[in-house]
Amino acid sequence: MDPRVLEEMLPYFTVHYGNASSKTHSFGWVADEAVKIAREKVAALIGARPDEITFTSGATEAINLGIKGYVESNRSGRRKIIVSAAEHKAVLDTCTHLQKVGAEITVLPVGPDGLVEPAVLASILDEHTLLVCIMLANNETGVVQPIRTLSDLTHEKGAVFFSDTTQAAGKIPFDVMKTGVDMCCLSAHKFYGPKGTGALFARKNHPRIKLTAQADGGGHENGLRSGTLNVPGIAGMGKAAELAAAECNSAGEKISGLRDLLENSLVNTGKVFPNGNILQRLPNTSNLRFRDIRASSLIPVFPWIAMATGSACTSALPEPSHVLRAMGLSTEEAWSSIRFSFGRFNTMEETERVAGAFRDFLGKQ
Ligand SMILES: *Cc1c(COP(=O)(O)O)cnc(C)c1O
């Protein structure tokens, strides 16, 4: 977390401990004001209106609220949901749940470079399609989809476009108007904010997205998400959004410089190959396949490097990455792949140390 975010949060644990829903005293008003400002900053990060933002406990909850909430409130008779094969488990598992209760799920394949082919989407979209779910940037490969083209195709058939923008928001410029996204989600800890705070964007106009709440109770967040608001977390998310809006371009350049340094250094050995389209990609992610080396034997050699196969979100499951498998990699190739991610606080010295360690290791293979 960015220290400036922590600084913003601290008073809401200590002096400003009021409940944002307490309307009868100044302690509540101060907390409510903090939430209001944070909502404006989060909305500004993605070009939305503040009243289109619902705070949640993270992207997973926002995804559940957006997708289930929209499907449950739908009265059009459309039942088909199109979902890309490389989505995060939060989206895939939500769709699997909906399939059990009557939705028709069609999985949209991705190409070997991780990109969705617009023509393939066009070929499976029809007048029964209610919702299309395609992420903006992939959390394992960083691959960025041609989202405007995909949302246009979706709207031509009268369907609604949901994009999991958790990984992209705050890392690359993203605007819900320019991309034609009807619903999207954010998670504060993906852009230097606190863990356990996120948001759903749901468009209020053209089209107006109607949602059924997934948590009933006191009617917080306009009746969409009941429960006492996490005021420190929300204040932190607002600050993180403000910093990301101001700094993501300059930070992105620095971060991609470090990422490319490591990637090129390993690819030049001839034993390492990048997974996914390396041109349409987030600045911070590198997903690399090591020839004839299993990641599970490589990762323990370097416990001081925080690298992983797949994503932290699915690491409880001993399965090869479904994202890489969807791109056509064999099980063995998927097991030989490692994701590296860089951030604002990584240094050139750290990057050179990691590159050096890997080059030594590969030299002995
Ligand atoms: C991290 C992530 C999520 C889940 O976010 P949480 O805040 O942990 O629930 C969903 N989708 C993508 C693409 C992510 O990277």
Side-chain angles (χ1 to χ4, degrees):
M1 204 166 73
D2 191 299
R4 294 169 291 181
V5 171
L6 178 63
E7 202 181 311
E8 184 80 14
M9 291 171 69
L10 285 175
Y12 298 100
F13 288 109
T14 54
V15 283
H16 304 312
Y17 49 75
N19 185 324
S21 308
S22 295
K23 304 293 180 204
T24 52
H25 50 72
S26 59
F27 305 97
W29 304 335
V30 170
D32 187 46
E33 182 66 14
V35 171
K36 178 173 170 266
I37 291 169
R39 203 183 302 280
E40 287 166 3
K41 289 176 177 171
V42 170
L45 177 67
I46 61 170
R49 287 178 4 198
D51 66 342
E52 294 173 319
I53 301 296
T54 303
F55 285 115
T56 63
S57 63
T60 301
E61 189 193 337
I63 288 163
N64 276 266
L65 174 58
I67 297 179
K68 291 180 187 166
Y70 183 65
V71 170
E72 286 174 18
S73 73
N74 161 58
R75 297 285 172 270
S76 70
R78 294 181 179 223
R79 280 178 41 231
K80 179 162 149 181
I81 302 173
I82 297 175
V83 58
S84 109
E87 293 299 298
H88 188 278
K89 289 285 182 187
V91 172
L92 291 175
D93 290 355
T94 295
C95 290
T96 303
H97 167 85
L98 289 170
Q99 190 169 30
K100 288 184 196 144
V101 295
E104 183 194 318
I105 307 293
T106 301
V107 177
L108 175 66
V110 297
D113 57 359
L115 286 168
V116 167
E117 191 56 60
V120 177
L121 174 62
S123 72
I124 58 176
L125 267 164
D126 58 23
E127 64 282 2
H128 303 297
T129 308
L130 176 66
L131 188 64
V132 173
C133 303
I134 304 174
M135 66 203 320
L136 177 52
N138 187 273
N139 49 307
E140 295 187 25
T141 60
V143 168
V144 175
Q145 300 294 343
I147 214 79
R148 177 80 221 198
T149 308
L150 303 171
S151 72
D152 281 347
L153 289 168
T154 301
H155 293 144
E156 277 168 27
K157 290 287 182 205
V160 156
F161 194 80
F162 178 97
S163 186
D164 178 351
T165 54
T166 314
Q167 203 59 231
K171 297 201 185 81
I172 53 172
F174 161 64
D175 182 297
V176 293
M177 299 306 289
K178 288 184 195 144
T179 51
V181 163
D182 300 315
M183 285 191 277
C184 73
C185 55
L186 301 118
S187 184
H189 76 100
K190 300 292 170 69
F191 52 96
Y192 310 96
K195 286 180 271 296
T197 304
L200 173 71
F201 158 79
R203 196 175 283 289
K204 283 269 163 86
N205 277 308
H206 310 297
R208 180 180 178 84
I209 303 294
K210 274 200 66 184
L211 297 174
T212 300
Q214 301 298 305
D216 296 305
H220 306 72
E221 293 295 272
N222 246 325
L224 284 182
R225 201 270 187 181
S226 287
T228 302
L229 274 72
N230 173 3
V231 178
I234 290 169
M237 184 173 186
K239 185 67 184 180
E242 176 188 81
L243 295 172
E247 298 176 7
C248 91
N249 282 326
S250 57
E253 256 172 60
K254 178 199 142 176
I255 292 167
S256 65
L258 297 179
R259 188 266 318 268
D260 294 345
L261 182 82
L262 176 69
E263 188 169 283
N264 293 336
S265 163
L266 298 194
V267 169
N268 286 342
T269 64
K271 298 173 179 175
V272 179
F273 309 88
N275 289 320
N277 190 306
I278 58 169
L279 299 174
Q280 294 186 51
R281 187 168 59 155
L282 292 177
N284 72 317
T285 312
S286 179
N287 193 310
L288 300 174
R289 178 170 66 81
F290 291 74
R291 193 175 60 206
D292 300 332
I293 302 174
R294 277 218 167 196
S296 57
S297 63
L298 216 168
I299 288 173
V301 179
F302 305 109
W304 52 275
I305 307 175
M307 57 186 169
T309 56
S311 68
C313 316
T314 45
S315 56
L317 312 170
E319 283 174 2
S321 158
H322 72 280
V323 173
L324 299 179
R325 296 282 289 129
M327 289 159 56
L329 269 71
S330 68
T331 312
E332 205 50 47
E333 288 171 329
W335 282 128
S336 304
S337 297
I338 296 179
R339 176 185 68 161
F340 297 87
S341 315
F342 290 80
R344 240 183 231 165
F345 304 116
N346 283 123
T347 63
M348 178 67 87
E349 190 265 323
E350 286 171 341
T351 309
E352 282 171 347
R353 199 168 147 223
V354 170
F358 269 96
R359 288 183 69 97
D360 286 349
F361 178 87
L362 292 169
K364 294 189 198 110
Q365 295 300 301

